[in-house]
mmCIF file of all heavy atoms in Angstrom:
data_model
loop_
_atom_site.group_PDB
_atom_site.id
_atom_site.type_symbol
_atom_site.label_atom_id
_atom_site.label_comp_id
_atom_site.label_asym_id
_atom_site.label_seq_id
_atom_site.Cartn_x
_atom_site.Cartn_y
_atom_site.Cartn_z
ATOM 1 N N LYS A 192 2.394 19.715 -16.986
ATOM 2 C CA LYS A 192 3.429 18.707 -17.243
ATOM 3 C C LYS A 192 4.543 18.981 -16.246
ATOM 4 O O LYS A 192 5.124 20.063 -16.216
ATOM 5 C CB LYS A 192 3.923 18.864 -18.681
ATOM 6 C CG LYS A 192 5.071 17.943 -19.023
ATOM 7 C CD LYS A 192 4.573 16.534 -19.334
ATOM 8 C CE LYS A 192 5.745 15.553 -19.511
ATOM 9 N NZ LYS A 192 6.130 14.892 -18.258
ATOM 10 N N LEU A 193 4.794 17.994 -15.423
ATOM 11 C CA LEU A 193 5.814 18.148 -14.399
ATOM 12 C C LEU A 193 6.965 17.202 -14.720
ATOM 13 O O LEU A 193 6.722 16.045 -15.125
ATOM 14 C CB LEU A 193 5.224 17.799 -13.024
ATOM 15 C CG LEU A 193 4.047 18.677 -12.580
ATOM 16 C CD1 LEU A 193 3.199 17.964 -11.554
ATOM 17 C CD2 LEU A 193 4.574 19.988 -12.010
ATOM 18 N N ALA A 194 8.181 17.662 -14.532
ATOM 19 C CA ALA A 194 9.344 16.824 -14.845
ATOM 20 C C ALA A 194 9.256 15.497 -14.095
ATOM 21 O O ALA A 194 8.892 15.469 -12.920
ATOM 22 C CB ALA A 194 10.615 17.566 -14.445
ATOM 23 N N GLY A 195 9.550 14.421 -14.804
ATOM 24 C CA GLY A 195 9.570 13.101 -14.169
ATOM 25 C C GLY A 195 8.218 12.408 -14.131
ATOM 26 O O GLY A 195 8.111 11.289 -13.636
ATOM 27 N N LEU A 196 7.193 13.099 -14.672
ATOM 28 C CA LEU A 196 5.847 12.504 -14.645
ATOM 29 C C LEU A 196 5.173 12.703 -15.999
ATOM 30 O O LEU A 196 5.452 13.689 -16.681
ATOM 31 C CB LEU A 196 4.976 13.193 -13.584
ATOM 32 C CG LEU A 196 5.385 13.016 -12.130
ATOM 33 C CD1 LEU A 196 4.582 13.956 -11.245
ATOM 34 C CD2 LEU A 196 5.160 11.577 -11.679
ATOM 35 N N PRO A 197 4.274 11.788 -16.374
ATOM 36 C CA PRO A 197 3.498 12.057 -17.593
ATOM 37 C C PRO A 197 2.521 13.207 -17.307
ATOM 38 O O PRO A 197 2.298 13.545 -16.142
ATOM 39 C CB PRO A 197 2.728 10.747 -17.809
ATOM 40 C CG PRO A 197 2.690 10.085 -16.480
ATOM 41 C CD PRO A 197 3.893 10.551 -15.712
ATOM 42 N N THR A 198 1.965 13.788 -18.359
ATOM 43 C CA THR A 198 0.973 14.845 -18.127
ATOM 44 C C THR A 198 -0.196 14.251 -17.347
ATOM 45 O O THR A 198 -0.740 13.219 -17.724
ATOM 46 C CB THR A 198 0.465 15.403 -19.466
ATOM 47 O OG1 THR A 198 1.599 15.847 -20.192
ATOM 48 C CG2 THR A 198 -0.493 16.572 -19.251
ATOM 49 N N LEU A 199 -0.532 14.915 -16.276
ATOM 50 C CA LEU A 199 -1.602 14.373 -15.430
ATOM 51 C C LEU A 199 -2.856 15.212 -15.561
ATOM 52 O O LEU A 199 -2.786 16.432 -15.703
ATOM 53 C CB LEU A 199 -1.138 14.351 -13.967
ATOM 54 C CG LEU A 199 0.052 13.437 -13.687
ATOM 55 C CD1 LEU A 199 0.543 13.632 -12.264
ATOM 56 C CD2 LEU A 199 -0.300 11.974 -13.922
ATOM 57 N N ARG A 200 -3.987 14.521 -15.522
ATOM 58 C CA ARG A 200 -5.257 15.234 -15.515
ATOM 59 C C ARG A 200 -5.702 15.396 -14.072
ATOM 60 O O ARG A 200 -5.222 14.672 -13.187
ATOM 61 C CB ARG A 200 -6.300 14.415 -16.284
ATOM 62 C CG ARG A 200 -5.896 14.151 -17.728
ATOM 63 C CD ARG A 200 -6.611 12.943 -18.264
ATOM 64 N NE ARG A 200 -6.349 11.766 -17.445
ATOM 65 C CZ ARG A 200 -6.649 10.521 -17.780
ATOM 66 N NH1 ARG A 200 -7.236 10.276 -18.910
ATOM 67 N NH2 ARG A 200 -6.373 9.498 -16.976
ATOM 68 N N ASN A 201 -6.625 16.298 -13.848
ATOM 69 C CA ASN A 201 -7.079 16.500 -12.475
ATOM 70 C C ASN A 201 -7.530 15.203 -11.810
ATOM 71 O O ASN A 201 -7.259 14.958 -10.642
ATOM 72 C CB ASN A 201 -8.212 17.523 -12.434
ATOM 73 C CG ASN A 201 -7.663 18.920 -12.276
ATOM 74 O OD1 ASN A 201 -6.453 19.110 -12.187
ATOM 75 N ND2 ASN A 201 -8.538 19.898 -12.249
ATOM 76 N N GLU A 202 -8.212 14.375 -12.609
ATOM 77 C CA GLU A 202 -8.752 13.156 -11.980
ATOM 78 C C GLU A 202 -7.672 12.129 -11.620
ATOM 79 O O GLU A 202 -7.944 11.155 -10.941
ATOM 80 C CB GLU A 202 -9.841 12.517 -12.852
ATOM 81 C CG GLU A 202 -9.398 12.085 -14.226
ATOM 82 C CD GLU A 202 -9.668 13.155 -15.290
ATOM 83 O OE1 GLU A 202 -9.587 14.366 -14.968
ATOM 84 O OE2 GLU A 202 -9.935 12.784 -16.434
ATOM 85 N N ASP A 203 -6.440 12.366 -12.099
ATOM 86 C CA ASP A 203 -5.343 11.455 -11.732
ATOM 87 C C ASP A 203 -4.732 11.818 -10.380
ATOM 88 O O ASP A 203 -3.997 11.028 -9.787
ATOM 89 C CB ASP A 203 -4.207 11.524 -12.767
ATOM 90 C CG ASP A 203 -4.673 11.162 -14.162
ATOM 91 O OD1 ASP A 203 -5.566 10.311 -14.284
ATOM 92 O OD2 ASP A 203 -4.144 11.749 -15.130
ATOM 93 N N ILE A 204 -4.981 13.027 -9.934
ATOM 94 C CA ILE A 204 -4.323 13.521 -8.723
ATOM 95 C C ILE A 204 -4.967 12.885 -7.494
ATOM 96 O O ILE A 204 -6.188 12.806 -7.407
ATOM 97 C CB ILE A 204 -4.458 15.063 -8.623
ATOM 98 C CG1 ILE A 204 -3.939 15.734 -9.888
ATOM 99 C CG2 ILE A 204 -3.757 15.617 -7.387
ATOM 100 C CD1 ILE A 204 -2.474 15.632 -10.125
ATOM 101 N N PRO A 205 -4.151 12.419 -6.544
ATOM 102 C CA PRO A 205 -4.734 11.794 -5.358
ATOM 103 C C PRO A 205 -5.753 12.674 -4.647
ATOM 104 O O PRO A 205 -5.558 13.880 -4.501
ATOM 105 C CB PRO A 205 -3.513 11.568 -4.461
ATOM 106 C CG PRO A 205 -2.392 11.398 -5.417
ATOM 107 C CD PRO A 205 -2.695 12.343 -6.549
ATOM 108 N N HIS A 206 -6.838 12.078 -4.265
ATOM 109 C CA HIS A 206 -7.819 12.767 -3.428
ATOM 110 C C HIS A 206 -8.261 11.791 -2.349
ATOM 111 O O HIS A 206 -8.058 10.587 -2.453
ATOM 112 C CB HIS A 206 -9.004 13.270 -4.252
ATOM 113 C CG HIS A 206 -9.826 12.162 -4.820
ATOM 114 N ND1 HIS A 206 -10.843 11.560 -4.130
ATOM 115 C CD2 HIS A 206 -9.748 11.511 -6.008
ATOM 116 C CE1 HIS A 206 -11.380 10.607 -4.863
ATOM 117 N NE2 HIS A 206 -10.730 10.545 -6.012
ATOM 118 N N PHE A 207 -8.845 12.336 -1.313
ATOM 119 C CA PHE A 207 -9.137 11.494 -0.155
ATOM 120 C C PHE A 207 -10.569 11.689 0.296
ATOM 121 O O PHE A 207 -10.836 12.365 1.273
ATOM 122 C CB PHE A 207 -8.172 11.826 0.987
ATOM 123 C CG PHE A 207 -6.744 11.615 0.588
ATOM 124 C CD1 PHE A 207 -6.017 12.632 -0.011
ATOM 125 C CD2 PHE A 207 -6.135 10.389 0.788
ATOM 126 C CE1 PHE A 207 -4.710 12.422 -0.407
ATOM 127 C CE2 PHE A 207 -4.828 10.182 0.393
ATOM 128 C CZ PHE A 207 -4.103 11.208 -0.208
#
Side-chain angles (χ1 to χ4, degrees):
K192 176 80 187 91
L193 299 157
L196 294 170
T198 304
L199 296 172
R200 301 157 303 192
N201 271 359
E202 60 266 33
D203 301 327
I204 305 292
H206 67 86
F207 301 88

